[in-house]
């Protein structure tokens, strides 16, 4: 098989994967399902987790030798885009990028790997802390003699997870430990966000936990997993932006003013074209980054690529969803119209793992460092 044939085959696989994921989400209820779950108090649908697992969603980036599909980050990006289109609340990017990203690098033999891939459990990752740094290297949360003490902040998916992968300080530097959500001495303070999802503030007081790994390998694996999750979050934002733009186009074609669709006015057409150009640039950027990250092995370059994707996707998502509200007029601010759900989700997802300003600075610093080294 020639290289061209292989590329064509890969593209066909991704197209089929996209169609499969889109059909699954639409059959489940599309964005209407997200609204129902939000109105019911937030969280996600455990049956949907099972359906996603059955379709191979969670194991898409896990090597076949470890029970996954081994399709790479580009395939994960395709799924993330479909998640974004229906603003699905299930922790897809969290599981693919962070939970499985850590386990497959540090403990591919652990039973939780198979359980995550099969949708039998969900694990949130607690690696940040409140404070000046907040970085893992400054961790005050400690793991000593099989027990955790301290606290962790901004834990995505904490409210519904069966357990936590916690990055804590140990005897030999950082340690990755596993604790169950029902473990003694663990309390979870739920903080609701604008889109109805929640962050968790975790507090440990002699909480029993199992050590999975320790030392510099934990720091390295965490950095790689964060890069993966950042790029996948960018893909989710692209999918969200794409659907928000479609909703807006449908609205301006149907809404009439002065006996004409408002989409027939030149000023509206110009704004729609500008948004479409911004969307296509973001889509192309994220697609290119995911493909490059699948081939790149140098962590610093992978991190720079992920920052490039997130900065571009956040900029586009904020612009498109905010302009979409304006183009809807006053009704855009009402909860009755779905476009507001997309704006709220865009704001929450933009902030997770760093916004556009943060990632633009990371990308520029990395480029300067690479230039100075040449």
């Amino acid at each position: 098989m020639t290289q061209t044939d292989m590329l064509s085959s890969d593209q066909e696989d991704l197209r089929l994967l996209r169609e499969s994921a889109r059909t699954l989400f639409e059959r489940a209820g599309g964005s209407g399902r997200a609204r129902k779950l939000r109105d019911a108090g937030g969280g996600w649908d455990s049956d949907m987790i099972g359906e996603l697992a059955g379709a191979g969603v969670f194991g898409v980036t896990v090597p076949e030798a470890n029970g996954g599909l081994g399709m790479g980050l580009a395939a994960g990006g395709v799924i993330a885009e479909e998640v974004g289109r229906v603003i699905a609340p299930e922790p897809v990017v969290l599981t693919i990028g962070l939970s499985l990203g850590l386990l497959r690098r540090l403990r591919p033999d652990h039973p939780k790997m198979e359980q995550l891939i099969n949708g039998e459990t969900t694990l949130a990752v607690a690696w940040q802390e409140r404070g000046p740094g907040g970085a893992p290297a400054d961790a005050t949360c400690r793991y000593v003699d099989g027990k955790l003490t301290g606290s962790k902040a901004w834990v995505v998916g904490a409210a519904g997870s069966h357990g936590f992968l916690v990055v804590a300080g140990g005897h030999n530097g950082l340690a990755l430990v596993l604790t169950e959500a029902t473990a003694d001495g663990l309390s979870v303070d739920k903080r609701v966000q604008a889109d109805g999802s929640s962050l968790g503030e975790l507090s440990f007081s002699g909480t029993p936990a199992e050590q999975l790994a320790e030392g510099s390998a934990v720091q390295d694996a965490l950095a790689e997993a964060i890069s993966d999750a950042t790029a996948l979050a960018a893909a989710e934002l692209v999918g969200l932006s794409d659907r928000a733009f479609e909703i807006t186009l449908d609205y301006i074609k149907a809404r009439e003013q002065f006996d004409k669709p408002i989409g027939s006015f030149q000023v509206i057409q110009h704004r729609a074209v500008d948004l479409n150009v911004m969307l296509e640039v973001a889509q192309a950027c994220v697609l290119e980054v995911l493909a490059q990250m699948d081939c790149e092995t140098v962590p610093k370059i992978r991190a720079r690529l992920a920052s490039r994707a997130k900065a571009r996707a956040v900029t586009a998502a904020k612009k498109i969803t905010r302009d979409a509200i304006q183009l809807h007029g006053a009704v855009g601010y009402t909860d009755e119209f779905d476009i507001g759900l997309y704006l709220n989700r865009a704001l929450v997802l933009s902030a997770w793992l760093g916004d556009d300003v943060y990632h633009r600075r990371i990308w520029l610093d990395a480029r300067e460092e690479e230039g100075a080294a040449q």
Side-chain angles (χ1 to χ4, degrees):
M1 181 180 288
T2 66
Q3 187 174 11
T4 302
D5 290 338
M6 291 176 65
L7 287 173
S8 177
S9 175
D10 289 345
Q11 291 301 315
E12 180 63 9
D13 288 345
L14 294 181
R15 186 187 67 78
L16 292 173
L17 180 66
R18 184 184 300 280
E19 287 184 358
S20 175
R22 185 168 298 185
T23 300
L24 193 157
F25 281 120
E26 288 179 352
R27 193 177 64 231
S31 59
R33 188 179 65 88
R35 178 185 288 278
K36 288 180 182 176
L37 289 170
R38 183 208 61 174
D39 292 346
W44 55 73
D45 181 0
S46 57
D47 290 340
M48 190 64 188
I49 295 280
E51 286 199 43
L52 291 169
V57 164
F58 297 118
V60 71
T61 62
V62 177
E64 291 183 76
N66 301 129
L69 299 179
M71 295 181 70
L73 211 54
V78 166
I79 292 170
E81 279 191 46
E82 297 307 313
V83 170
R85 282 184 59 85
V86 295
I87 47 177
E90 283 72 25
V92 176
V93 169
L94 169 68
T95 302
I96 296 175
L98 283 180
S99 309
L100 282 168
L102 278 171
L103 283 180
R104 71 183 170 90
R105 289 181 171 93
L106 294 170
R107 287 295 304 275
D109 59 328
H110 198 278
K112 288 294 183 186
M113 274 281 294
E114 183 178 355
Q115 293 174 19
L116 280 170
I117 292 171
N118 293 336
E120 297 167 6
T121 190
T122 52
L123 297 175
V125 178
W127 57 280
Q128 291 178 294
E129 295 182 15
R130 292 190 179 277
D138 304 321
T140 58
C141 180
R142 303 290 298 173
Y143 176 74
V144 179
D145 298 332
K147 295 185 184 298
L148 276 169
T149 55
S151 60
K152 289 291 178 182
W154 309 301
V155 182
V156 173
S161 291
H162 297 100
F164 300 95
L165 294 170
V166 183
V167 178
H171 289 300
N172 299 304
L174 288 180
L176 178 69
V177 302
L178 169 68
T179 187
E180 300 297 330
T182 54
D184 291 338
L186 168 61
S187 65
V188 180
D189 185 11
K190 180 179 169 183
R191 308 285 174 87
V192 179
Q193 303 186 96
D195 64 343
S197 65
S198 62
L199 294 174
E201 302 280 322
L202 308 188
S203 179
F204 306 102
S205 178
T207 306
E210 172 194 0
Q211 179 172 295
L212 303 181
E214 65 176 345
S216 60
V218 174
Q219 177 72 66
D220 295 342
L222 179 62
E224 289 269 23
I226 290 172
S227 293
D228 289 354
T230 299
L232 292 175
E236 187 174 343
L237 280 166
V238 163
L240 179 155
S241 303
D242 189 29
R243 181 60 189 143
F245 183 61
E246 287 178 2
I247 292 172
T248 306
L249 280 185
D250 290 342
Y251 182 78
I252 64 177
K253 288 175 183 175
R255 174 77 168 89
E256 291 190 355
Q257 190 66 272
F258 308 114
D259 297 326
K260 293 180 180 178
I262 60 172
S264 65
F265 301 136
Q266 196 172 46
V267 65
I268 300 295
Q269 291 174 354
H270 285 175
R271 290 184 69 174
V273 168
D274 288 344
L275 296 182
N276 189 42
V277 170
M278 180 171 274
L279 173 61
E280 293 205 356
V281 170
Q283 285 174 328
C285 171
V286 172
L287 187 65
E288 181 186 21
V289 161
L290 290 169
Q292 288 181 343
M293 288 179 71
D294 272 334
C295 303
E296 184 57 62
T297 58
V298 179
K300 281 189 176 182
I301 296 179
R302 296 186 84 251
R304 171 171 62 77
L305 289 169
S307 287
R308 176 188 165 208
K310 186 77 188 296
R312 180 71 73 177
V314 170
T315 302
K318 284 181 177 177
K319 174 68 174 170
I320 290 169
T321 51
R322 285 171 174 166
D323 277 24
I325 294 290
Q326 288 190 4
L327 289 168
H328 273 73
V331 297
Y333 291 93
T334 65
D335 191 58
E336 181 182 352
F337 280 70
D338 281 353
I339 196 64
L341 303 181
Y342 283 81
L343 171 65
N344 289 334
R345 181 61 183 155
L347 294 176
V348 169
L349 196 55
S350 295
W352 185 47
L353 300 174
D355 63 6
D356 49 339
V357 175
Y358 171 81
H359 282 290
R360 199 170 290 118
R361 190 180 73 243
I362 295 290
W363 185 85
L364 287 169
D365 289 346
R367 292 292 293 176
E368 287 182 4
E369 185 178 331
E370 290 172 16
Q374 290 176 353

